Amino acid sequence: MITIRKKHHVPGDIDSDIEWLKRLLKDLENIRDGIFP
């Protein structure tokens, strides 16, 4: 869970969350295109 406490401050490791979401998106795009893991 992400909580915004102050303007422009997000506690937690948002960079690793973004990288995980990018990998998830790529996996979903591959599945859509018929490329299965």
Side-chain angles (χ1 to χ4, degrees):
M1 181 166 105
I2 296 173
T3 304
I4 299 174
R5 296 183 182 171
K6 296 179 184 177
K7 187 175 180 181
H8 304 296
H9 176 74
V10 179
D13 189 0
I14 193 78
D15 288 333
S16 67
D17 291 340
I18 290 170
E19 289 305 314
W20 180 82
L21 289 169
K22 285 179 181 179
R23 289 191 307 271
L24 176 60
L25 175 61
K26 184 62 179 163
D27 289 342
L28 291 171
E29 289 173 335
N30 284 342
I31 291 169
R32 176 200 62 201
D33 295 338
I35 303 167
F36 298 97

